[in-house]
Every structure is written in C-alpha cells, then in structure tokens.
Amino acid sequence: MIGRRRFLGAAAGSLALAACQAPSSASHIEGGFDGIDMARGHALRDGSLAGKAPDESRRTRVLIAGGGVAGLAAARALRLAGVEDFVLLELEDAMGGNSRGTMVKGLPCPMGAHYLPVPGDDAPEVQDLLEELGLRRRVAGRWEYDERHLCHSPQERLFFEGQWQEGLLPVQGVPGRTLEQYRCFEALVESLRQQGHFAIPMARSVLGPEQLALDAQPFDAWLARQGLDDPHLRWYLDYCCRDDYGAGSGEVSAWAGIHYFASRHGFHAPGGAADDSPERDAVLTWPEGNGWLTRRLAEPLEARRALCGQVVTRIAQTRSGVEIDAFDAVRRALVRWQAEHCIVALPVFVAARVVQSPPDFLRQAAASLRHAPWTVANVHLRAPLADRPGAAPSWDSVLYGTRGLGYVDAGHQRLDPTPRETVISWYRPLGPSRYDAGVDGRRLLLERPWGGWRDELLAELSAAHPDLAELATRVQVTRYGHAMAIPTPGLLAQLGGKPQRLVREGRLAFAHADWSGYSIFEEAFSRGHWAGLAVAGRPSA
Ligand SMILES: Cc1cc2nc3c(=O)[nH]c(=O)nc-3n(C[C@H](O)[C@H](O)[C@H](O)COP(=O)(O)OP(=O)(O)OC[C@H]3O[C@@H](n4cnc5c(N)ncnc54)[C@H](O)[C@@H]3O)c2cc1C
C-alpha cells in the first residue's frame, strides 16, 4: 500500500507534471498509446491466469520464454549449433521487446532502443552478428562498418543558453573552471580504465576490490569526493546516467557512472588528451532504431517457431524436463508445453514470478533489482522544424536541463536531402532523478492519458522549436513500466560480486539484460547467445 508521505509526494509530482501546459493549438494533434498490452502483463501480476487447466498440450525440445533481444539471440545460437526443434513465446504482438520499431503515418521509427555503438573486441558475439548481417566487413586488413548505417554527421547537438551547439557537453561560454573539471574527469576515467577492465559485455569485466568499492557508492557521492562539483559537468553526467540507466547520477553506482565511459571510448574533454580520437562515438542506427536488428533476428524463425501474444504463466522443472504454461491471448487458450530445456529470456521480476520454486539466486536478484519506467513518444511532423541559431539539425538533439532527454530524428539516415515530413522520437526516463522528486513514475504511466505526454513534450521542446505544435500531426506514446534495470549502489555485490556469463539451474538457463544489472543491446544479446549455446551443449568462447 502506498504510504501517506509517498502519496502526497507523488500527487505533488503528478500535479507539477500536469502543469506543463502545451500550446492550446495542440488540439489538432491526433494520437494514442502504442506497443505495450498492459492488460496481459497485469493479468500475470494479478494471478487471474494462474491455476487454469490446460486446453491443449504441445512438445518441443527447447522452449524460449521472451522474444526480446536475449530470446532472439538464444534462438539464433540454437540454430547455429544445429538445434532446430525449439519454440519462442513472446507476450506482445511482435518480437523485439524494448528493441522494436514501429510506424507513424507510414514512416518507420523506434519504439524503444535506437542505436548500437560499434562493438569493441570484448563483444565478439555482437561483432559476428554484425558481420552476418553485412554491416561489418574486412577491407584491406581492417574492419569497416557499412557507411549507410553508421550515424551520419552531424550526430549530436545541445540547446544551451538559447542556441544550438555541436556535441552534448556544454562548452560555449562556459568558464575556464568548467573546462578544467572536464579535463580532470577525463584523466580520472583514463586512470580507472587502466586499473581495471571495464568491459561490454560486463561479464568480461574484471571486478577487483577497487571496482567493488566503486560499486558500493553512489556516482554523485564519488564525484563530490573528487571535488567535481561543476554544474555543467554534473548536468552532463546525470544526463548520461538517465540516458543509459533511466535514473539520475545520485541513484546509480560510481562503477556504473564510470563504466559508461571507461567501457567505450572514454570521456572527451575539449582540448583534452582524447579529444581527437578518431573512433569516438561511432554508432549504428536506423530509421526504426534497433528494430532493424530485431526484425532480422526474427526473420529466419517461421511463424510456427516464433509465437506472439503468448503470456508465459508458469515454468516448472519436472523429473524429465520442463513444463511451461502459456496463455494464448489470441485464441484465449492455455497451452501446456513439455520441453527438455527452457531458456528464460524474461525480465528477472517476471522470471521470479513464473518459475516454480525459484532458486535462491533468482529470488535474490528479483529482490535487489530496481527498474526504471520510461516513455517514448513518436511525433509525426508534416514538415521539418524551423531552427534556432547555431549547430545544424542532427540525429540527436538535446535540451539542457529538461526532464526528457531530447529527441532523435528518424529521417536522419535518409540519403535524399529533400526537406520533407519526418518523425521525431522523444525519450523520457522516469526512474528516480533530481527532475522527478516525489513522482511515482509507474503510477504516472498508468494514470496519465496520452495527451498528457503530448503536452509535456510540446512544452519542453517548444523552447527550441516554437513551431513544433503547428507542424505535429500525430503523437504515438509507448509506456514501459519496467523498462530497464538501474545499476544501483551495491548491485554488483548483491548479484554475486563476480560477473557470470551463464546463469543456470538444472534445465533452466536464464538470459536477459537484467542479469548484467543494466540494459543495452550487447548485454542482452551476449546473454541470449551464451544461454543458447549452453542448452545446445556447445561451450561458448
Ligand atoms: C526506451 C528505451 C530505450 C533504449 N535505448 C537503447 C539503445 O538505444 N541502445 C541499446 O543498446 N539499448 C537500449 N535500451 C535497452 C534495451 O532494453 C536493450 O537494448 C534490449 O532490448 C534488452 O533486451 P532483453 O531481451 O534483455 O529485454 P526485453 O526487451 O525486456 O525482452 C524481454 C521480453 O520478454 C517478454 N515477456 C515479458 N513477460 C513475458 C511473459 N510472461 N511471457 C512471454 N513473454 C514475456 C517481453 O514482452 C519482452 O519482449 C533501451 C531501452 C528502453 C526501454
């Protein structure tokens, strides 16, 4: 039950959010919710599907529960290992989970995840996938990525002090002390990177006492201890945490805050040592975001092996195998599956609910993990937005100091430069952060009509684009109640303190980004891949 203080806080927060008034001219904009069937998930939570007698029985060698990136990667690994007798069950009406694409007025756009950084050598599984999909190839002894899918320039810009500047780090007009703190943070990241291995996927990281000490403290507290108090630096770092983890820099561990930079190309201070690194920030992206990748992962699975609208309600190990109950939401029938193995590619809190007699590690992980809710709104524009002065329109446009993370333009990768209609995707994390003190994000998702999200985004983005309301014709909103795990202080220790590639119990193999404590494509994909190979009896490299 919600306590009085929390309720008052949440109510105050909701009111504050309700106060973001959109221009009155917004009434012509049509829209609605998209992509998530909340009733299916809630039926599982409320227990209304439990204890029903099965309407039919079916058999398969391997059953994969959950068709997000991890489940799709597991299916691919089974096929690579020669196992064709498997079935993948997904709750929603399409495969892909948080990495699905959608369409607004016939234009493709992301529903959630929208980019994949070019993977490093710690992620050979992801590199192999990209090679298989023709995105990566060897040219004259060097690996090259398909230019059509590498994010075109200009990539990012920031609306700061009334104008657009290139890049997301506030630089224009900031005092010398700010630049000094940028350089200091860059040096700290570099020295921590040399001391410990911050890998993606994180199961290849080395976690020694120094890394576990970073895991034990909030990122903000660690920054304060280093004397890093510059508001511009702190805004940027908080933005990065909300972007990757859905929650602010006061909520995530110092390990996670540093991992964001140290696992990739570091932090680049203007004029600092790494400023002109050629490899920085190379990302792959598509109009439909990472839906491009999940569609290709799902393509080889014919309809009989990849079933949507299936709510897995129970997974029980028996003496000779695994029994899985799934409610077919289309036919309204309960199907009982018998399998030799089950790959549980479900979020950990769902796995803990459906696995019978859950093992201690699953119970403990479910108790330790907190999830950030998110909203993504896709806005159809009948013509390009007029711009304030400064940097040119980019793939990613961010407004300094706003609750949302700005927007990406789904039309950015088009090769034809003719100005025309497009879709912009506005990202709004709802995990705990300084912007949402007292707001209960999950409750807001449940209660707020789609027009509330339209009004919030219009109010926010109109500061940079006063013509937004006039040009917008449709807004499609996707709500994620438990979008991604937040890497809270102490989480790595609670998950065992030693990164594990394979989480297994008898005939069950668990695969989901949650097992890494934070959610990105590479984590989900590698875990699905390892689980698939393990179930097929193939050791992974
Ligand atoms: C708004 C948003 C933006 C993001 N942006 C990026 C990005 O740009 N780049 C990036 O790398 N990552 C991004 N991510 C992270 C993203 O979560 C991961 O990249 C990846 O998609 C996670 O895959 P997964 O398989 O671990 O989890 P999920 O996507 O959670 O997949 C789990 C699947 O299980 C299904 N399921 C749940 N319960 C049941 C049940 N009872 N029965 C059957 N099926 C069930 C779900 O419907 C879902 O399809 C973003 C996430 C969000 C929410």
Side-chain angles (χ1 to χ4, degrees):
M1 204 174 79
I2 187 164
R4 188 182 133 76
R5 264 183 70 182
R6 240 180 90 206
F7 174 78
L8 290 176
S14 303
L15 286 176
L17 290 176
C20 314
Q21 288 299 323
S24 54
S25 54
S27 56
H28 69 279
I29 304 173
E30 59 182 47
F33 290 120
D34 185 25
I36 302 280
D37 189 323
M38 282 201 176
R40 287 182 199 163
H42 289 169
L44 181 65
R45 182 193 64 189
D46 303 341
S48 55
L49 299 174
K52 287 198 190 307
D55 297 294
E56 61 189 80
S57 296
R58 295 179 68 177
R59 194 169 282 281
T60 184
R61 180 168 161 196
V62 183
L63 190 135
I64 305 170
V69 170
L72 290 167
R76 174 177 170 271
L78 288 173
R79 294 182 62 242
L80 289 178
V83 177
E84 296 287 345
D85 182 10
F86 65 85
V87 166
L88 193 164
L89 303 182
E90 163 56 37
L91 176 142
E92 300 292 351
D93 291 332
M95 295 287 162
N98 293 344
S99 295
R100 276 174 295 162
T102 186
M103 300 275 248
V104 181
K105 292 202 161 181
L107 298 181
C109 50
M111 195 181 265
H114 55 291
Y115 72 97
L116 172 66
V118 165
D121 290 342
D122 285 318
E125 298 81 6
V126 182
Q127 292 178 337
D128 280 355
L129 170 73
L130 300 184
E131 215 176 316
E132 180 183 306
L133 297 179
L135 295 168
R136 172 185 148 100
R137 61 193 186 115
R138 198 112 178 123
V139 179
R142 286 172 59 91
W143 287 107
E144 281 187 2
Y145 284 84
D146 188 331
E147 292 280 341
R148 286 170 305 171
H149 305 296
L150 280 173
C151 184
H152 301 163
S153 187
Q155 188 166 316
E156 300 166 328
R157 62 177 182 168
L158 176 68
F159 190 66
F160 179 60
E161 304 288 357
Q163 55 181 316
W164 290 106
Q165 59 141 73
E166 263 179 53
L168 299 187
L169 193 63
V171 287
Q172 266 171 25
V174 299
R177 183 173 181 279
T178 300
L179 298 174
E180 250 170 56
Q181 291 218 351
Y182 290 167
R183 287 192 287 274
C184 179
F185 183 68
E186 176 182 298
L188 280 166
V189 168
E190 201 40 47
S191 109
L192 287 164
R193 180 149 68 164
Q194 280 166 19
Q195 281 167 36
H197 188 55
F198 290 84
I200 293 178
M202 63 82 70
R204 291 202 171 97
S205 291
V206 176
L207 291 186
E210 296 88 2
Q211 287 74 36
L212 287 173
L214 290 171
D215 169 55
Q217 51 187 314
F219 190 29
D220 267 359
W222 181 84
L223 289 166
R225 225 164 282 133
Q226 313 308 313
L228 294 172
D229 57 0
D230 177 78
H232 301 102
L233 175 67
R234 294 293 283 267
W235 169 81
Y236 176 71
L237 299 179
D238 183 64
Y239 168 86
C240 294
C241 293
R242 294 194 302 132
D243 187 37
D244 245 26
Y245 308 132
S249 50
E251 307 294 328
V252 311
S253 71
W255 182 86
I258 292 156
H259 185 268
Y260 180 94
F261 300 101
S263 60
R264 294 197 167 126
H265 299 304
F267 175 91
H268 304 275
D275 192 27
D276 54 0
S277 157
E279 283 209 84
R280 62 187 286 191
D281 302 327
V283 304
L284 293 157
T285 188
W286 302 267
E288 67 273 49
N290 291 4
W292 191 93
L293 293 167
T294 51
R295 193 149 46 87
R296 273 151 189 83
L297 283 167
E299 254 161 23
L301 314 175
E302 325 77 73
R304 77 185 161 78
R305 282 198 297 189
L307 307 180
C308 290
Q310 309 289 318
V311 189
V312 172
T313 58
R314 190 180 72 98
I315 299 176
Q317 295 201 66
T318 62
R319 231 183 273 160
S320 54
V322 191
E323 194 169 88
I324 300 109
D325 286 350
F327 179 71
D328 182 331
V330 183
R331 294 186 300 129
R332 308 213 60 78
L334 189 79
V335 183
R336 179 155 294 169
W337 290 87
Q338 307 291 341
E340 287 174 28
H341 294 274
C342 178
I343 297 176
V344 187
L346 301 169
V348 162
F349 78 97
V350 179
R353 188 162 290 149
V354 300
V355 171
Q356 303 293 283
S357 315
D360 283 348
F361 67 78
L362 175 56
R363 249 192 269 256
Q364 194 177 335
S368 307
L369 281 171
R370 284 164 67 204
H371 285 84
W374 276 77
T375 295
V376 179
N378 280 302
V379 186
H380 175 265
L381 303 173
R382 61 183 166 77
L385 294 163
D387 236 350
R388 299 277 201 200
S394 304
W395 169 62
D396 190 9
S397 296
V398 175
L399 283 72
Y400 186 82
T402 53
R403 285 193 172 107
L405 299 176
Y407 66 89
V408 292
D409 182 349
H412 184 75
Q413 295 295 97
R414 261 197 316 251
L415 297 174
D416 170 6
T418 320
R420 63 167 82 150
E421 62 172 342
T422 192
V423 174
I424 59 169
S425 313
W426 177 70
Y427 284 83
R428 172 74 163 92
L430 285 155
S433 81
R434 69 183 71 162
Y435 293 94
D436 287 314
V439 173
D440 178 342
R442 219 155 278 134
R443 196 172 142 214
L444 194 65
L445 284 187
L446 274 178
E447 292 177 356
R448 199 187 229 195
W450 75 270
W453 297 109
R454 172 201 60 197
D455 294 351
E456 185 179 334
L457 81 87
L458 288 178
E460 190 169 292
L461 301 183
S462 291
H465 299 293
D467 55 346
L468 176 62
E470 188 202 325
L471 295 176
T473 70
R474 182 172 175 83
V475 173
Q476 266 172 223
V477 178
T478 305
R479 297 169 290 176
Y480 297 91
H482 296 79
M484 51 174 71
I486 305 172
T488 47
L491 183 65
L492 293 182
Q494 284 156 17
L495 292 179
K498 203 165 131 261
Q500 288 186 352
R501 281 197 229 171
L502 195 57
V503 184
R504 230 182 150 171
E505 160 80 10
R507 290 171 178 271
L508 308 183
F510 294 85
H512 189 274
D514 277 0
W515 292 102
S516 298
Y518 73 106
S519 188
I520 56 173
F521 183 92
E522 301 92 310
E523 298 294 346
F525 184 84
S526 308
R527 289 190 177 278
H529 184 78
W530 294 327
L533 289 189
V535 161
R538 296 279 176 92
S540 51

